[in-house]
Amino acid sequence: MRVHVIGLGGAGGRIADRLAADHGGEPFLHGVSAFDTDMAALDSLAALGEERRYRFGDAAGGDGLDGDLHAGRELGEVHASELGRALDDQRPSLAEAFVLVVGVGGAAGGGAAPA
């Protein structure tokens, strides 16, 4: 089975990055992506190349949302198609399953995941 892992928000991105570090060469892991509003959090991901890290939400200014779930929901709705296009670049149709990793404590992950 080929799995594509999507990390959303700071915690989701860190977990996705760890999976890529620990299992990146294994054939079951088709792809790994991380999406966040916080540029520093994305920059801290060591195993994911820049082409697999996506910052969204210009309104956040690149520094995250400071726990504002309402802002996270709005950004998720506004940027859902953009994030989908970014994911499409990695050919997720080749995956047989997706794992969405979200830390519900932060605004980017917990707010944007429903979108």
Side-chain angles (χ1 to χ4, degrees):
M1 173 177 280
R2 293 181 307 261
V3 175
H4 192 111
V5 177
I6 302 165
L8 183 57
R14 287 189 300 277
I15 292 169
D17 188 60
R18 183 59 188 251
L19 284 169
D22 291 349
H23 302 286
E26 296 182 27
F28 81 91
L29 195 58
H30 169 71
V32 181
S33 308
F35 299 88
D36 200 348
T37 58
D38 186 344
M39 198 65 215
L42 289 170
D43 286 342
S44 72
L45 304 178
L48 292 178
E50 278 188 43
E51 71 281 357
R52 304 240 179 213
R53 297 181 241 162
Y54 303 95
R55 187 181 75 78
F56 68 99
D58 292 335
D63 296 331
L65 299 171
D66 294 325
D68 186 349
L69 286 172
H70 180 69
R73 254 183 249 114
E74 287 181 2
L75 286 175
E77 290 174 9
V78 168
H79 294 279
S81 61
E82 169 191 342
L83 299 179
R85 282 191 304 276
L87 188 59
D88 283 344
D89 290 343
Q90 295 183 36
R91 299 178 23 175
S93 61
L94 299 177
E96 297 166 316
F98 292 90
V99 176
L100 178 61
V101 185
V102 180
V104 295

